[in-house]
Amino acid sequence: MIRFIGRRFLNILLSLFVLATLTFFLMKAVPGNPFLDEKTPKAARDALMAFYGLDKALWKQYLIYLGNLLQGDLGISYKTPGQTVTQIISQSFLYSLKLGAVAIVVSVIVGVSLGMVSAMYNRKLIDKIAVVISILGISIPNFVVASVTQFYIGAELRWLPVAGLDGPLSYILPTFALSALPIAFIARLTRSSMLEVLTADYIRTAKAKGLSPIRITLRHGLRNAILPVVTYLGPMTANIITGSVVVEKIYNVPGLGQFFTNSVTNRDYPLIMGITLFYAVILMFARFLADIGYAMVDPRMKKSTKGG
Amino acid sequence: MDNVNEKRRPLPDPRKFVPLKKRDFAQQQMAPSYTTWKLATMKLTANKFAMGAGIVLALMIIMAVIYPLFTPHNFRGQSLLNTFTAPGGSYYFGTDDLGRDLFSRSWKGAQISLTVGILAAIADVILGIIIGGIMGFFGGKVDEVLNKITEILYSIPYLLIVILLGVVLGQGMFTLIIALVATGWINMAWIVRGQIMQLKNQEYVLAAQAMGSGGFRILFKHLIPNTMGPIIVTMTLTVPSAIFAEAFLSFLGLGVQSPAASWGVMINDSLASWQLYPWTLLFPAGMLCVAMLAFNIFGDGLRDAFDPKTRVE
């Protein structure tokens, strides 16, 4: 188990290094530099270039960048003067984190219950409704869900706040837009693996022992059917985080996603690099944790990692 | 299961000689054996949902090519006298804020989205087959090194690569395709690798070796044709995710740019106006949903068709 964790951890570090190198050189490959402006006098431009260390040789800049990165210093934003990238990220990520965490919890709870109910009532009306819901959830893009619910439920009916993130009510619409797809996916995963598990011999034994149906589905069925859902947790986190980029734009949440799209349109290179690396770290750790979770839930995995 | 059969048909008394009757032979006959392809086609045609989705997709692809035959307008032409015309007359889907015909824009969007989706999927398949094939077939050190490289590449989120490449190469359809392929081929390579590893110890590979075939010939002539099933399934399911990525990025303003028509661009354009003129959102979003739905259902159907566990009903 420890060897498994160690290997995965090493992989993450390697990937981050590759990504940092890739982003660095891709950014430098773009023609021009951020201070190329007709109006700026040459002397001032040179001073700026020297200030940001852009006058040095490329390999020197790269080494300096990596050195700073190791110390957690992501540089200074070009377009929001006076703020370091780290400051921007730590301020805005709080919003994204709150929204994302709520969306993840909601997706898992609703998705698993939907899938379970639909497996228990296999081929009955409830199951058919659940299947239709999950197919729709997979096919309707989150930005369409977000703008339509914002208009009808927020602006027309005035039931819920239209934008921003203050107060628990304002979480409902963005969370719905973010979790629609993961809910649908988790429901499908749970349903199909639950159907498979429910035909297993130990379920028959449990029934023969006279356990109540609810106890059988929860204790014997769900525990085994949940495995595919656990593996999906990593990709789901990625999904919700990338989804939050667009949902934050629509609901005007001052989160990290907003800053990311703005930094791309503004060509604010240090900010782009910083946020890219930050996202990558989060996504990789989410996948890492999901893998560990999987190893802990799946007894077969435990055995093979112990032996090897 | 065996118990049930024995109960139904008692064993003959061993002391008495009873010749087998004709129906006994008939019962022991095996189910007819089909090739994988034949079986998959049978299962797919039996699946009404998947067939329906397939027909919708075929119609969509055909319409995306021949739509100019049906309308006098083109997707770029602006007519400022006819802004926000409701659907009807020669504007079947109405017009947008610049008086552009939404019918031709929607189908032009279908063209772009389908091109992105299908080209990305095809490129994924080609790269995935070559590299996955090499990994699976040669194994050992080659596999180890390539596996490490793909693992590292895979852990980089695709959206970041798309956005970074967009910054560097300029935003547009081909940047999108390149970026989607840059991360998409890995999944395909792993699937091919797994399949080849299962297949390479089969007798026909040994036979081919005995006949003096070289490694690459065996790989491309004997092994890869036998892995086509899972490859096609993965490919059909890659298309909707590529289409979604295109729409998502264009919506954010990071993909295809505005005078060009793509569903994502059109949905973004409609954001300011659809509350009053709902058709500006309805048609592009509706077509996007239908395309994703159809690809997903068709892909699921294909997966079931190639899955040995499901049966023809």
Side-chain angles (χ1 to χ4, degrees), chain A residues 7-8 11 14-15 18-19 22-23 26-27 29-31 123 135-136 138-144 147-148 151-152 188 196 242-243 245-246 249-250 260-261 264-265 267 269 272 275-277 279-280 283-284 287, chain B residues 148 151-161 163-168 170-171 244 247-249 251-254 263-264 267-268 271 274-276 278 281 285 288-290 292-294 296-297 300 303 309 313:
Chain A
R7 238 192 56 203
R8 291 304 310 264
N11 261 354
L14 255 173
S15 319
V18 171
L19 184 65
L22 205 76
T23 20
L26 277 177
M27 289 293 149
V30 183
R123 282 163 201 261
I135 288 183
L136 285 180
I138 287 172
S139 305
I140 302 179
N142 49 15
F143 49 91
V144 176
S147 19
V148 172
F151 178 65
Y152 284 113
R188 269 173 49 150
E196 213 161 283
T242 47
V245 174
V246 83
K249 184 185 170 188
I250 293 171
F260 191 41
T261 34
V264 173
T265 31
R267 310 229 151 186
Y269 298 134
I272 300 180
I275 298 181
T276 306
L277 287 176
Y279 270 146
L283 294 183
M284 285 174 197
R287 214 174 271 160
Chain B
K148 192 104 233 162
E151 239 172 66
I152 289 172
L153 277 180
Y154 187 73
S155 62
I156 302 173
Y158 88 92
L159 200 75
L160 300 183
I161 296 190
I163 290 173
L164 283 176
L165 277 182
V167 172
V168 178
Q171 287 146 358
F244 174 73
F248 180 86
L249 289 164
F251 175 79
L252 282 176
L254 304 174
W263 291 330
I267 293 171
N268 192 22
L271 275 191
W274 72 265
Q275 292 85 349
L276 289 176
L281 176 72
L288 175 60
C289 295
V290 169
M292 302 248 306
L293 193 67
N296 275 320
I297 293 178
D300 275 354
R303 185 168 46 200
K309 274 188 263 170
E313 286 175 22

Side-chain angles (χ1 to χ4, degrees), chain A residues 134-136 138-141 188, chain B residues 44 47-61 107 114 233 235-241 243 263 285-303:
Chain A
S134 64
I135 288 183
L136 285 180
I138 287 172
S139 305
I140 302 179
R188 269 173 49 150
Chain B
L44 190 65
N47 185 342
K48 285 196 192 86
F49 262 124
M51 284 318 281
I55 292 169
V56 169
L57 285 180
L59 286 178
M60 212 167 211
I61 292 171
W107 286 110
L114 292 171
V233 173
M235 199 173 135
T236 4
L237 292 172
T238 323
V239 178
S241 61
I243 289 178
W263 291 330
M287 279 169 71
L288 175 60
C289 295
V290 169
M292 302 248 306
L293 193 67
F295 267 112
N296 275 320
I297 293 178
F298 190 68
D300 275 354
L302 267 183
R303 185 168 46 200

Side-chain angles (χ1 to χ4, degrees), chain A residues 281-295:
Chain A
V281 170
I282 294 182
L283 294 183
M284 285 174 197
F285 271 96
R287 214 174 271 160
F288 180 56
L289 289 181
D291 280 355
I292 294 178
Y294 189 77

